[in-house]
Amino acid sequence: MLFNSYSFIFAYLPIVWFGYFSLGRYSHKLAATWLALASIFFYGWWDMRFTGLLLVSIAVNYSAGYAIAKQLILRQKSLLILAVSFNLLLLGYFKYFNFFIDNLNQLSGARLENTPILLPLGISFFTFTQIAFLVDSYQGKAREYNLIDYTLFVTYFPHLIAGPVLHHKEMMPQFGERSSCKINSDNVAIGISIFIIGLAKKILLADSLAEFATPIFAAVHTGGHPMLIEAWIAALSYTLQLYFDFSAYSEMAIGLSLMFNVRLPLNFDSPYKATSIIEFWRCWHMTLSRFLRDYLYIPLGGNRNGSIRRHANLMVTMLLGGLWHGAGWPFVIWGGLHGCYLMINHAWLELKKRMGWKNGGKIAQFAAGLLTFIAVVVGWVFFRAENLHDALDMLRGMAGMNGCALSRKLADSSMANLLKPFGVHFIGSLPLTELDSGDAFKLLIPSLLITFCFPNVRQLFSDYQPVLKESHNETEKNQVSGRFSALCHWRPIPTHAWGLGLLFVYTLFHFTKVSEFLYFRF
């Protein structure tokens, strides 16, 4: 079931919400059980066959975590290793088995047959969530072991399919709070508002941008060679599509959860405004970055053993982070590319510190932000392309090596004769797909303005703390958005209610099709 579907908005959500708070008047435990069962139903709506897999995973991990924390066996570390291995083997079989077989066949010349394997939805997220729980149990950080609350912790429908990756210690106290099953009108109003904003981003922006990104990348995969303008249109369209798609899901999850009086951790905090790759990864998929840092990078040694070891640990972490996103070499290359970015960024910071250089003014910050954004766009080309050949062909187009196509209206201009010798063609549409470049720019320009010039949801609702408290760059980013505070900061007033209501209705009229969120594939 998708958040952006009529069945979810007008059937599932109202039934679950009313059932939860109706039962909560009599029993907190009964209300939690209802929400857990509703979340399992939400997962099973996609494919009931994998509900059993999810429940087995919950049973194994809860039992192992409980036994580790309560010291029911003498060798807790061995049980931890066994339980983590169970999770990784489960993930490895469903997500990477055929990838491993394909590469083994290519390397060895063997003819091992692939087995069609359907990837369970959200397996990466509920696997990582439970690995974190096991490690926290071993380290004594997980203290509450109620089976119903644990089941709800893993299956909780706002986060189950595409994150955020939750920590046991930050969610269990909220699920156990008796006041959580009593209606809080402020939380409901804020939650609905955030949900509407996320829904509008998904339907009006992300899905519209896909209409330009998808055809051009598909044409490249079938042998087309993109020219300068269409290559950049494709790259920027996908960059912004992914941004608004993931931002939309994250915000809709936050809004839905807040309706149930539960605050999720912030998972997305205007990452394209970052002025360095380090800052980008502090703002993009924040809970995954936190997981990779706490459960992979730091156990590998982090930055404790010199710069060379730190760079090696960074690269290993990013390569595995890329592989987490999908079983394919483009994802590995994307992770490796960001590993290189991070190493360069850290080396640059060390050089600045050694030389005593200070941060530049606004122009330097703008240049740093532009360089970071271009680096991210290049990385997304590898992330989106079907294979390395497609990615390199797209990058050649972005560099102008395949020529350039401009509007036919410019063919009679004085500049036309000067541009023609440089491979510029004057045609009415984008060569590969016959898409209209004017329509693309009419969408890209406002999308870029929204991305870089408007405050994000955390800033819009900063007076009400819609997410678990985060301190990263909060002061700096609120200063940046200060000029919008009078107009954009949400307040419980009729003007904002009517505005969001009209946005919701307008968005509903654009439900031409139900489309998955991009992170459902990971």
Side-chain angles (χ1 to χ4, degrees), residues 112-343:
L112 299 175
E113 186 176 350
N114 271 337
T115 303
I117 298 174
L118 186 62
L119 182 66
L121 204 60
I123 188 171
S124 297
F125 290 97
F126 70 71
T127 297
F128 273 28
T129 293
Q130 295 192 97
I131 288 176
F133 161 71
L134 292 170
V135 176
D136 287 351
S137 296
Y138 179 75
Q139 295 177 346
K141 297 177 181 177
R143 302 182 184 280
E144 300 175 39
Y145 295 90
N146 179 290
L147 180 57
I148 294 174
D149 287 350
Y150 178 79
T151 302
L152 181 56
F153 159 67
V154 177
T155 62
Y156 188 45
F157 74 91
H159 95 99
L160 176 59
I161 307 300
V165 179
L166 300 179
H167 271 267
H168 186 268
K169 62 183 179 182
E170 63 193 8
M171 301 306 297
M172 292 296 274
Q174 295 191 79
F175 291 139
E177 185 65 44
R178 292 190 176 276
S179 61
S180 66
C181 53
K182 296 179 180 178
I183 296 175
N184 183 312
S185 58
D186 288 341
N187 286 345
V188 173
I190 296 167
I192 291 174
S193 299
I194 294 175
F195 179 84
I196 291 172
I197 293 172
L199 181 66
K201 283 185 177 181
K202 170 62 177 172
I203 302 300
L204 303 180
L205 293 174
D207 289 351
S208 298
L209 288 160
E211 294 176 6
F212 292 95
T214 302
I216 298 175
F217 272 98
V220 172
H221 184 57
T222 57
H225 302 289
M227 291 188 178
L228 179 68
I229 303 298
E230 64 188 337
W232 274 101
I233 285 175
L236 287 173
S237 294
Y238 181 71
T239 296
L240 293 169
Q241 177 199 356
L242 187 58
Y243 177 90
F244 286 116
D245 195 277
F246 191 25
S247 173
Y249 182 91
S250 299
E251 289 162 10
M252 292 167 82
I254 288 169
L256 289 168
S257 186
L258 201 58
M259 293 181 207
F260 293 88
N261 298 321
V262 175
R263 285 174 168 77
L264 295 178
L266 190 65
N267 203 32
F268 195 89
D269 196 19
S270 297
Y272 289 173
K273 295 180 183 178
T275 56
S276 70
I277 289 295
I278 293 174
E279 185 183 353
F280 170 80
W281 277 105
R282 289 173 181 163
C283 301
W284 178 275
H285 210 330
M286 297 162 68
T287 57
L288 175 63
S289 298
R290 177 181 66 176
F291 178 92
L292 293 173
R293 179 198 66 201
D294 293 346
Y295 300 100
L296 184 58
Y297 175 69
I298 291 176
L300 285 173
N303 59 0
R304 298 191 298 271
N305 299 307
S307 59
I308 294 177
R309 181 65 181 273
R310 178 181 66 187
H311 291 162
N313 293 337
L314 273 174
M315 181 57 75
V316 170
T317 301
M318 294 311 300
L319 286 171
L320 291 176
L323 191 60
W324 175 88
H325 282 84
W329 287 112
F331 296 109
V332 178
I333 294 170
W334 171 78
L337 185 63
H338 272 272
C340 292
Y341 288 164
L342 287 168
M343 288 192 293

Side-chain angles (χ1 to χ4, degrees), residues 43-122:
Y43 186 81
W45 182 269
W46 169 71
D47 193 326
M48 187 61 69
R49 291 174 297 175
F50 290 113
T51 304
L53 176 70
L54 174 63
L55 295 177
V56 168
S57 176
I58 290 171
V60 170
N61 283 286
Y62 174 79
S63 300
Y66 185 86
I68 290 170
K70 303 300 182 182
Q71 299 182 0
L72 299 182
I73 63 171
L74 296 177
R75 306 183 68 175
Q76 288 93 10
K77 189 171 184 179
S78 298
L79 181 56
L80 171 66
I81 294 171
L82 186 63
V84 170
S85 298
F86 164 79
N87 285 283
L88 294 178
L89 286 172
L90 199 67
L91 180 64
Y93 172 74
F94 283 102
K95 194 166 184 176
Y96 303 107
F97 181 78
N98 283 336
F99 176 66
F100 172 77
I101 293 298
D102 288 340
N103 285 278
L104 183 63
N105 287 340
Q106 289 182 2
L107 291 173
S108 65
R111 296 183 179 179
L112 299 175
E113 186 176 350
N114 271 337
T115 303
I117 298 174
L118 186 62
L119 182 66
L121 204 60

Side-chain angles (χ1 to χ4, degrees), residues 395-414:
L395 291 176
R396 280 193 291 268
M398 292 167 67
M401 296 173 66
N402 297 332
C404 179
L406 297 176
S407 171
R408 187 180 292 118
K409 296 177 182 179
L410 300 175
D412 297 327
S413 66
S414 57

